[in-house]
């Protein structure tokens, strides 16, 4: 590389340390250490177009070590994305997009929200999986991009990264290149305290192509990326030996450069060390020209891609239809599955029927499971399994890797062109919680199926019986939790999830059978969140999921005692909260309230008020057949009716 490239790298270093210093908060060390890597990648290889930042065939660039956010903001600013110097000068301040850790803003070139270490690493693997799938289905003329990731020691210590790396190696996702900031430092001190494994050998064992280079030698970086791009049968990890806080003689190479400003005196020294003569936030025109010229490469490729797409669309036919179905999928209206009235069918099985209908309507839908498709009923029956030799199939086998599954579903959703869903037991949502929370924070419509939703999974016992999981998921802002109770509601749950665009949805289904009514509810009712199933004037029993039929039977018994009982189905508390006050009053007003759910009762007081009766299970379960558990824990219709009757006269 040339002197201008070195000037560009130093510009990243100086702008990053100045922004951190002005904010008196941040992490200057990573941007200073990885500046040469960013300069080579953006200067020669990364294909993006700042004038069309959401171009579908752009390369994806993820900074998984998100504490080094100033590196990302620096290159986006230099490259001409709509991120002005004012935003850089107000790093980490209210009202500016330059947050302490990157937060998704596709129009600014920020591909995802990173920060929790390992999540960017695993989410990016999902992006690469989406690219591989679409490349096989739509062809390289329309899908021909790469996924580049910056990652750190902290990323590689996290288990979610190990899970994603293992699966990516197995699947042979060759168009993803990870550049590892191997600087021997973590936040507290040297990595020798905790992290002494041979990372390259570990990733080679996963099936990755690995290289080791000097991360400050721009020619070596160039050669390594070129070699990784030639190795398209497997992912690549480039271990870049760097000095954290490069250019700082007193903080460089130490934990001091990791999470604190350098201080004015040290910054003056860095300027002298780098030969930087410009005051803070003044950048030479040569730097803008360097990155601007590099962006012309992406602009040209985007224009050529646009021309190819227009040719495909003008020609019509199967490829044009396939592109439209992936690029601009339509909303769905789903029918209740055709099941025998009066029979007992688990809602997970009902969901399986709806999935087949959905897969027919939406070719962009991909299923996924954590070694549990036979239990979650999540397979698309018309498709083979996605694997190393068939990236175009629609059933993704994640193995026992719930952490990675949640993050990779997020990555595929962010990437676009596909609508993936995951599936596992509700109890294991704990393993996926960081990814669920990030999906909610990013407002992306990822979909996650959770089955075996209560103590009624039975003999597997308390280790597998979810108790606190429903209220715990409902506590995540912007995550909608849907627990349907019959076949119309199951169709409505899927319809709600697939048509939602501003956040993730958790679909929660039972292991045990539920009675099938003669007439299913209209699926669109689920979008109301809660609605009246049977009307009454004195009392309302609010139920979800498999407890809906218990509420109906208990209500019938109470009516025989002279009570006028309303039954309310509330499959989605979050959707119900979005309804106006008049509607909520029409459902819950003017009566005494009871809530019924085979889970912890925490949170129901927010819906039903402090004076309501809450029937649930606020302790761990036991290993026994589900009907025995229902009797022991007072969750049969007889027990519920008796408890409500006693409460009414107390």
């Amino acid at each position: 590389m040339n002197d201008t490239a070195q000037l560009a790298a130093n510009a990243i270093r100086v702008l990053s340390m100045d922004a951190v210093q002005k904010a008196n908060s941040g992490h200057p060390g990573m941007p200073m250490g990885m500046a040469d890597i960013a300069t080579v990648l953006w200067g020669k290889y990364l294909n993006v177009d700042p004038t069309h930042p959401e171009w579908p065939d752009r390369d994806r660039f993820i900074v998984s070590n998100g504490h080094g956010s100033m590196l990302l903001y620096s290159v986006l600013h230099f490259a001409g994305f709509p991120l002005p110097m004012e935003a850089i000068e107000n790093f980490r301040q209210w009202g500016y997009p330059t947050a302490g850790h990157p937060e998704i803003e596709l129009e600014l070139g920020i591909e995802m929200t990173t920060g929790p270490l390992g999540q960017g690493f695993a989410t990016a693997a999902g992006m690469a999986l989406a690219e591989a799938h679409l490349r096989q289905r739509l062809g390289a003329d329309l899908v021909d991009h790469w996924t580049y990731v910056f990652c750190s020691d902290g990323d590689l210590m996290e288990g979610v990264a190990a899970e994603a790396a293992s699966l990516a190696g197995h699947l042979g996702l060759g168009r993803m290149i990870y550049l590892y900031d191997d600087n021997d430092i973590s936040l507290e001190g040297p990595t020798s305290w905790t992290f002494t494994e041979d990372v390259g050998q570990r990733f080679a064992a996963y099936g990755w192509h690995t290289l080791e280079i000097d991360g400050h030698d721009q020619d070596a970086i160039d050669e390594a990326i070129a070699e990784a791009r030639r190795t398209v049968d497997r992912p690549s990890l480039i271990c870049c030996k760097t000095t954290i806080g490069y250019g700082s003689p007193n903080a460089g190479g130490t934990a001091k450069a990791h999470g604190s400003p350098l201080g004015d005196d040290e910054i003056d020294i860095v300027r002298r060390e780098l030969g930087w003569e410009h005051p803070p936030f003044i950048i030479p025109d040569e730097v803008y020209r360097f990155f601007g010229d590099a962006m012309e490469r992406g602009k040209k490729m985007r224009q050529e891609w646009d021309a190819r797409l227009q040719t495909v669309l003008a020609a019509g036919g199967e490829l044009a239809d396939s592109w439209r179905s992936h690029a601009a999928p339509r909303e769905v209206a789903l029918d209740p599955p055709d099941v025998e009235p009066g029979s007992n069918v688990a809602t997970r099985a009902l969901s399986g029927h709806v999935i087949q209908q959905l897969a027919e309507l939406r070719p962009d839908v991909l299923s996924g499971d954590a070694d549990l498709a036979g239990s979650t009923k999540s397979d698309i029956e018309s498709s083979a399994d996605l694997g190393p030799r068939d990236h175009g199939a629609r059933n993704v086998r994640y193995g026992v890797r719930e952490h990675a599954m949640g993050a990779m579903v997020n990555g595929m959703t962010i990437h676009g062109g596909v609508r993936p869903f995951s599936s596992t037991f509700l109890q294991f949502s704990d393993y996926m919680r960081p990814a669920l929370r990030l999906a909610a924070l990013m407002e992306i419509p990822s979909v996650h199926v959770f089955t075996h939703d209560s103590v009624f999974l039975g003999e597997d016992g308390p280790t597998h019986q979810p108790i606190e999981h429903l209220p715990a998921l409902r506590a995540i802002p912007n995550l909608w939790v849907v627990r349907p109770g019959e076949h119309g509601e199951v169709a409505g749950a899927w319809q709600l999830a697939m048509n939602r665009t501003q956040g993730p949805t958790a679909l929660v289904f039972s292991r045990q059978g539920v009675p099938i009514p003669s007439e299913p509810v209209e699926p669109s009712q689920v979008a109301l969140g809660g609605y009246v199933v049977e009307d009454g004037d004195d009392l309302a029993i609010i139920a979800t999921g498999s407890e809906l039929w218990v509420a109906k039977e208990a209500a019938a018994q109470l009516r025989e005692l002279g009570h006028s009982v309303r039954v309310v189905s509330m499959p989605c508390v979050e959707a119900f909260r979005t309804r106006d006050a008049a509607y909520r009053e029409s459902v819950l007003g003017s009566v005494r309230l009871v809530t019924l759910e085979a889970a912890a009762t925490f949170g129901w007081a927010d819906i039903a008020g402090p004076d309501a009766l809450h029937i649930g299970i606020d302790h761990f379960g036991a290993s026994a057949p589900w009907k025995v558990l229902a009797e022991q824990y007072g969750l049969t219709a007889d027990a519920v009716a008796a408890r409500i009757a006693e409460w009414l006269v107390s």
Side-chain angles (χ1 to χ4, degrees):
M1 303 294 282
N2 55 36
D3 291 343
T4 305
Q6 190 59 62
L7 179 69
N10 287 341
I12 295 171
R13 293 184 171 104
V14 172
L15 187 59
S16 296
M17 71 177 184
D18 284 344
V20 169
Q21 185 64 32
K22 183 177 180 184
N24 196 30
S25 175
H27 302 253
M30 179 282 234
M32 297 172 74
M34 296 194 79
D36 290 300
I37 305 166
T39 298
V40 175
L41 177 63
W42 281 71
K44 189 167 182 180
Y45 292 101
L46 190 76
N47 293 316
V48 294
D49 182 355
T51 66
H52 290 77
E54 297 183 53
W55 166 38
D57 203 33
R58 69 190 181 279
D59 290 339
R60 271 56 171 187
F61 175 60
I62 306 300
V63 178
S64 187
N65 40 351
H67 52 271
S69 58
M70 264 310 307
L71 178 145
L72 177 60
Y73 303 146
S74 296
V75 293
L76 291 174
H77 170 72
F78 295 150
F81 284 85
L83 193 69
M85 184 61 81
E86 179 187 0
I88 303 290
E89 292 187 67
N90 285 279
F91 176 56
R92 290 188 166 215
Q93 303 308 304
W94 178 269
Y96 289 90
T98 44
H101 294 82
E103 297 178 17
I104 186 170
E105 289 283 356
L106 297 186
E107 65 272 19
L108 299 183
I110 305 172
E111 296 283 359
M112 69 164 292
T113 300
T114 57
L117 289 173
Q119 286 293 319
F121 186 109
T123 303
M127 295 179 183
L129 178 56
E131 185 277 337
H133 175 78
L134 291 169
R135 183 179 176 86
Q136 183 167 329
R137 292 181 71 87
L138 301 175
D141 278 349
L142 296 180
V143 184
D144 187 32
H145 55 269
W146 293 75
T147 302
Y148 297 97
V149 180
F150 281 10
C151 61
S152 65
D153 292 296
D155 286 296
L156 302 187
M157 292 184 206
E158 292 285 1
V160 65
E163 289 185 8
S166 175
L167 183 57
H170 164 72
L171 293 174
L173 300 179
R175 297 174 70 83
M176 51 187 273
I177 298 174
Y178 283 50
L179 296 124
Y180 161 40
D181 186 22
D182 184 9
N183 60 29
D184 296 323
I185 296 294
S186 60
L187 181 61
E188 288 196 327
T191 55
S192 59
W193 290 356
T194 59
F195 191 58
T196 55
E197 66 196 43
D198 188 319
V199 169
Q201 286 191 15
R202 171 156 72 99
F203 275 74
Y206 288 145
W208 287 50
H209 168 235
T210 65
L211 301 120
E212 295 184 6
I213 62 168
D214 178 348
H216 301 300
D217 182 336
Q218 293 192 4
D219 290 330
I221 297 165
D222 183 3
E223 293 169 7
I225 295 174
E227 180 178 335
R229 286 172 57 92
R230 291 192 296 268
T231 310
V232 294
D233 61 333
R234 50 197 165 134
S236 290
L237 179 75
I238 303 175
C239 301
C240 306
K241 205 65 184 175
T242 63
T243 299
I244 191 170
Y246 181 90
S248 171
N250 297 306
T254 74
K256 295 177 183 178
H258 191 292
S260 301
L262 297 179
D264 291 332
D265 291 343
E266 187 68 12
I267 285 176
D268 288 342
I269 297 173
V270 172
R271 277 183 153 76
R272 290 197 296 272
E273 290 285 324
L274 299 179
W276 192 268
E277 299 177 351
H278 308 279
F281 306 109
I282 300 300
I283 303 297
D285 290 342
E286 298 97 305
V287 173
Y288 291 104
R289 283 197 294 270
F290 174 86
F291 284 100
D293 289 347
M295 293 303 97
E296 291 301 318
R297 179 182 63 249
K299 290 178 184 178
K300 181 174 183 291
M301 294 187 71
R302 194 265 308 163
Q303 291 166 353
E304 293 170 349
W305 180 88
D306 278 342
R308 293 195 300 273
L309 175 62
Q310 293 309 313
T311 299
V312 167
L313 296 178
E318 184 177 345
L319 180 56
D321 291 343
S322 185
W323 169 262
R324 290 188 180 96
S325 70
H326 286 277
R330 64 184 185 276
E331 289 192 351
V332 293
L334 298 170
D335 297 322
D338 185 12
V339 287
E340 185 69 26
S343 62
N344 284 271
V345 185
T347 57
R348 61 171 174 153
L350 297 170
S351 169
H353 290 300
V354 176
I355 287 170
Q356 309 318 311
Q357 180 188 161
L358 176 62
E360 183 70 23
L361 293 171
R362 289 282 296 265
D364 60 325
V365 168
L366 301 181
S367 84
D369 71 280
D371 199 42
L372 288 169
S375 295
T376 59
K377 310 300 181 186
S378 58
D379 271 353
I380 295 173
E381 295 171 0
S382 61
S383 176
D385 293 343
L386 188 150
R389 288 168 293 280
D390 185 5
H391 292 151
R394 300 174 67 186
N395 294 311
V396 183
R397 304 298 190 197
Y398 290 96
V400 189
R401 300 186 182 97
E402 290 91 352
H403 296 277
M405 178 173 69
M408 290 177 69
V409 165
N410 285 349
M412 287 187 280
T413 303
I414 295 167
H415 180 281
V418 291
R419 281 300 302 275
F421 66 85
S422 71
S423 68
T424 188
F425 292 173
L426 179 58
Q427 195 273 341
F428 302 134
S429 64
D430 284 344
Y431 290 163
M432 299 172 61
R433 193 173 184 86
L436 293 170
R437 184 177 187 274
L438 269 187
L441 179 62
M442 291 188 285
E443 300 182 350
I444 61 170
S446 56
V447 177
H448 303 277
V449 171
F450 298 109
T451 69
H452 297 59
D453 66 349
S454 72
V455 292
F456 299 146
L457 70 86
E459 292 87 342
D460 272 351
T463 60
H464 283 53
Q465 293 168 353
I467 300 297
E468 74 281 15
H469 298 74
L470 287 171
L473 290 176
R474 289 175 181 140
I476 299 175
N478 197 38
L479 172 65
W480 285 21
V481 180
V482 190
R483 188 173 183 244
E486 50 88 69
H487 53 316
E489 286 194 347
V490 170
W494 272 106
Q495 185 171 298
L496 173 64
M498 292 304 299
N499 294 339
R500 189 169 184 236
T501 60
Q502 297 301 314
T505 305
L507 301 177
V508 184
F509 302 116
S510 71
R511 176 183 185 270
Q512 82 282 9
V514 299
I516 300 300
S518 57
E519 290 294 332
V521 69
E522 165 57 43
S524 61
Q525 289 282 91
V526 173
L528 297 172
Y531 60 95
V532 176
V533 178
E534 299 172 355
D535 210 356
D537 299 325
D538 303 329
L539 169 76
I541 306 174
I542 307 165
T544 79
S546 57
E547 286 69 73
L548 179 57
W549 72 270
V550 178
K552 290 180 179 181
E553 291 193 5
Q557 294 184 30
L558 290 166
R559 290 187 191 107
E560 292 180 0
L561 298 176
H563 301 290
S564 179
V565 184
R566 181 182 306 170
V567 176
V568 173
S569 177
M570 192 165 291
C572 184
V573 170
E574 297 78 19
F576 184 72
R577 285 186 174 131
T578 69
R579 302 297 131 196
D580 60 42
Y583 178 76
R584 297 197 306 272
E585 176 70 15
S586 73
V587 175
L588 299 182
S590 305
V591 292
R592 299 183 73 179
L593 299 177
V594 176
T595 66
L596 173 62
E597 187 172 62
T601 59
F602 182 84
W604 278 110
D606 291 340
I607 293 292
D611 298 326
L613 171 64
H614 303 294
I615 301 175
I617 175 169
D618 290 310
H619 53 78
F620 293 118
S623 180
W626 78 267
K627 291 184 179 180
V628 173
L629 295 172
E631 293 171 358
Q632 292 294 322
Y633 295 145
L635 294 172
T636 64
D638 290 347
V640 168
R643 186 171 175 189
I644 293 173
E646 180 181 357
W647 174 70
L648 288 172
V649 299
S650 62

